[in-house]
Amino acid sequence: MYRFFFPVTLLVLTLIGAPAWALSNRPAGPPQAAVASAHPLATQAGLDVLAAGGNAFDAAVAVSAALAVVEPYGSGLGGGGFWLLHRAYDGKQVMVDGRERAPLAAHADLYLDGAGAVIDGASINGPRAAGIPGEPAALAHIAQHYGRLPLAVSLAPAIALARDGFEVDAHYRRWVGFRAEVLAKQAAAARQFLVDGAPPPLGHRLRQADLADTLQALAAAGRDGFYAGPVAEKLVAGVRAGGGIWTLRDLAEYQVVEREPVVVRYRDWTVTSAALPSSGGVLLAQMLNMLAAVDLAALSPPARSHLLTEVMRRAYRDRAEYLGDPDFVAMPLERLLSPTYAQRQLATISPTHATPSESLAGLAADRPGTAADPYGSGAPSGVQEGRNTTHFSVLDEEGNRVAATLSINYPFGACYVPPGTGVLLNDEMDDFVAKPGVPNAYGLVGAAANAIAPGKRPLSSMSPTFVEGPQGVALLGTPGGSRIISMVLLAMLDMAAGYTDPAHWVARGRFHHQYLPDRLQYEPGALSPRTVAALRSMGHQLDPLSTGYGNMQAVFWDRRSGKVSAASDPRGIGAARVQSVSSP
Ligand code: DON
């Protein structure tokens, strides 16, 4: 029935005097809609809401909420994220920042002991590790300002999935097994995600009645259904009972922020990506500015990998030194984003030798640099995969677009559920710098710009991105902690090099450098033996990974051929679907 909303609006506007956009110059939309997400049930939720007359923004609400239910290891109502929106009728592009905020009682030394040392696990496990969630507010905001459907309709698939359950698959079992020990320590979390204290068997139907009720409260009352009233009271009581520091004021004062995305030109392409407090857009812009004058296609594979590694090293160095929440810190963004600075940086790259990270100016000298094992030495093999946190991309037939990357940070976040809410808390506080120079779970170091302060947002790497050029427009992103930004760079460079099939970008081999530790990580097969040998002889310290990483979800609308295609990373279990919605 909602399909009639838009035509009726148009008719009324025509009668009362429509704005120009409503009558003319409306860009022609793509012939089909597309949804790519990390879980087939979430992709289906998006398609269902499109079929109910929703636009891409309504579908994004549906996909986000469904992922909160079926991928509890990746994102959820207890977490946050960034939703990059493009509205077709006026071309408005905005990033809805639903990033978590530090509680108002937080302070720079929150995770330090009396001797000033970082307390092991304090920013990872339990409610003290949790920032104030932003996802529920972001969903309400997107529905209210950009969607066509009431929240009750967009949230209906997620509510049904929470209430009726979904079947546990091998992927869920693997992640829940990884965090079972911590989940088992809290009764509410154990009850929701384990069976008799252990990972549920394959095919077990996981029902989350409390979560269904909380989603229902959000559907009925909008953001107040979560940030005020009984749900808020249960959240705060549960957090404080577990030693956390939230107050009702923290929830009442949480606000999403609409931010202007970072836009950078790279040859014929315009790249639109995440604004701060994600470092993604700034780092992509810096790297693309450095690469602008280079003919990558003319380079041999070893020379190309070397150059990209050095470019990554330099951009991540600036991340560590300068970046943080723009509402709290002044940053030299004009300088960082200037082409002149990029050219000067490029000039420091030797074509034949790796630059030792310690030799780059700035904070490097103070940084210890540790082995980058984002899950600690106790991690079972195969968990460095960067497949928790989640990304999805949606394109509708009007040409509206959403690319969104959402997180509760570590798998299953803080492994803590305030009783009676079904809301699994994030541990996004670990994305702050607990102490200058001490790496976080992703091996990232940082400085005062990303220190903890009351109400501040932790610096992120999540990089939902649009890439638009003469041939068409791509929507993409991925989880993967610190490696997110280099994955998006590699994918978009492939696109700029003429590979317009998203299946290529999501499957391509990946490599990564993040300044510290001074290691070049690469997936099995991503670099040929010849390239590996050449890089080693240039002085790179190579770190071959035993498994792949990332879980990219991409859509491409080829404006020349009119074709829409979508792809889901073969490393994950997601589903990408292209479908005619208006005329099935
Ligand atoms: O915001 C960030 O950058 C991190 N919390 C994202 C974590 C992540 O991607 C984990 N993925 N495997």
Side-chain angles (χ1 to χ4, degrees):
M1 65 171 159
Y2 297 103
R3 197 162 293 159
F4 298 115
F5 275 30
F6 192 64
V8 168
T9 310
L10 263 186
L11 178 66
V12 172
L13 287 171
T14 308
L15 294 175
I16 61 172
W21 59 261
L23 297 178
S24 60
N25 295 331
R26 274 193 66 217
Q32 289 176 303
V35 182
S37 92
H39 199 289
L41 293 170
T43 298
Q44 190 57 51
L47 291 170
D48 288 349
V49 163
L50 288 172
N55 59 18
F57 311 119
D58 298 306
V61 171
V63 175
S64 306
L67 289 168
V69 177
V70 300
E71 270 201 325
Y73 41 82
S75 69
L77 294 191
F82 302 116
W83 289 256
L84 183 65
L85 315 183
H86 170 96
R87 186 166 60 187
Y89 79 72
D90 60 356
K92 177 178 181 180
Q93 308 214 99
V94 70
M95 184 186 90
V96 176
D97 169 358
R99 181 72 162 167
E100 298 89 335
R101 288 178 59 178
L104 295 168
H107 51 87
D109 298 342
L110 189 63
Y111 301 115
L112 303 185
D113 64 17
V118 176
I119 304 165
D120 201 27
S123 59
I124 301 270
N125 299 324
R128 230 177 142 72
I132 306 305
E135 176 159 328
L139 300 189
H141 181 89
I142 292 166
Q144 185 185 346
H145 296 282
Y146 298 95
R148 268 209 294 270
L149 303 182
L151 262 181
V153 177
S154 314
L155 294 180
I159 293 169
L161 285 166
R163 205 169 303 287
D164 305 337
F166 67 98
E167 279 187 18
V168 164
D169 55 27
H171 199 70
Y172 177 94
R173 288 199 82 231
R174 183 120 150 274
W175 289 115
V176 85
F178 174 54
R179 293 291 267 159
E181 208 179 298
V182 191
L183 287 164
K185 287 188 182 148
Q186 196 229 352
R191 213 176 311 118
Q192 192 162 337
F193 300 113
L194 302 171
V195 173
D196 299 329
L202 273 183
H204 169 82
R205 189 158 277 274
L206 195 89
R207 293 187 175 84
Q208 302 174 78
D210 287 346
L211 179 58
D213 289 345
T214 297
L215 282 162
Q216 191 71 58
L218 186 63
R223 62 158 283 150
D224 282 354
F226 186 92
Y227 295 88
V231 171
E233 280 157 22
K234 281 187 240 174
L235 287 169
V236 171
V239 162
R240 296 191 78 88
I245 57 173
W246 292 14
T247 62
L248 283 172
R249 194 176 142 215
D250 276 310
L251 290 168
E253 289 189 1
Y254 182 86
Q255 293 294 342
V256 300
V257 184
E258 287 210 349
R259 301 196 192 267
E260 209 176 297
V262 173
V263 179
V264 60
R265 282 289 290 178
Y266 173 73
R267 301 182 163 231
D268 288 343
W269 300 83
T270 302
V271 179
T272 305
S273 191
L276 289 157
S278 171
S279 57
V282 171
L283 262 68
L284 279 172
Q286 284 191 258
M287 296 191 288
L288 292 170
N289 283 344
M290 281 186 249
L291 294 169
V294 180
D295 182 2
L296 286 172
L299 298 178
S300 68
R304 187 172 187 273
S305 307
H306 166 69
L307 176 64
L308 291 175
T309 302
E310 292 300 328
V311 162
M312 290 175 195
R313 185 200 306 276
R314 282 159 178 75
Y316 276 88
R317 189 204 78 90
D318 287 346
R319 181 194 198 278
E321 180 161 355
Y322 298 114
L323 301 187
D325 181 344
D327 296 338
F328 281 73
V329 288
M331 289 167 272
L333 291 179
E334 213 170 297
R335 184 188 131 203
L336 291 176
L337 296 173
S338 92
T340 319
Y341 176 61
Q343 288 320 304
R344 278 209 306 273
Q345 292 271 85
L346 186 71
T348 67
I349 299 175
S350 154
T352 50
H353 287 90
T355 310
S357 289
E358 285 74 20
S359 74
L360 286 175
L363 296 177
D366 301 335
R367 301 279 169 265
T370 59
D373 175 357
Y375 299 96
S377 51
S381 64
V383 294
Q384 294 186 28
E385 302 158 0
R387 273 177 235 162
N388 40 83
T389 294
T390 200
H391 178 87
F392 68 86
S393 298
V394 181
L395 173 73
D396 72 17
E397 288 170 341
E398 290 163 39
N400 298 311
R401 311 172 207 149
V402 181
T405 313
L406 320 177
S407 184
I408 52 170
N409 197 32
Y410 216 57
F412 283 89
C415 290
Y416 191 92
V417 175
T421 66
V423 175
L424 179 61
L425 299 185
N426 71 84
D427 54 3
E428 221 77 58
M429 293 292 286
D430 188 64
D431 280 343
F432 279 118
V433 174
K435 184 179 175 175
V438 176
N440 77 350
Y442 300 99
L444 289 166
V445 292
N450 191 27
I452 304 171
K456 191 175 174 186
R457 286 157 149 88
L459 186 63
S460 174
S461 302
M462 293 189 285
S463 311
T465 300
F466 301 142
V467 188
E468 192 154 13
Q471 183 148 357
V473 58
L475 297 59
L476 61 111
T478 177
S482 52
R483 298 177 187 136
I484 291 172
I485 311 165
S486 60
M487 285 188 254
V488 171
L489 175 77
L490 294 175
M492 70 119 319
L493 288 175
D494 280 358
M495 182 184 324
Y499 296 95
T500 52
D501 183 354
H504 175 92
W505 321 326
V506 303
R508 63 113 61 225
R510 294 168 177 151
F511 59 93
H512 172 74
H513 199 294
Q514 62 183 45
Y515 164 61
L516 289 177
D518 191 346
R519 317 283 299 178
L520 170 49
Q521 307 178 329
Y522 62 100
E523 289 186 312
L527 303 174
S528 72
R530 191 180 145 249
T531 297
V532 168
L535 289 169
R536 200 166 274 139
S537 75
M538 291 181 192
H540 289 284
Q541 301 177 59
L542 281 111
D543 214 348
L545 300 172
S546 54
T547 54
Y549 61 87
N551 195 6
M552 189 170 279
Q553 310 296 326
V555 169
F556 186 62
W557 171 20
D558 186 331
R559 282 208 177 98
R560 284 191 185 149
S561 69
K563 191 175 161 223
V564 174
S565 43
S568 188
D569 199 315
R571 299 163 185 81
I573 59 161
R577 302 257 302 274
V578 177
Q579 200 160 293
S580 295
V581 177
S582 51
S583 49

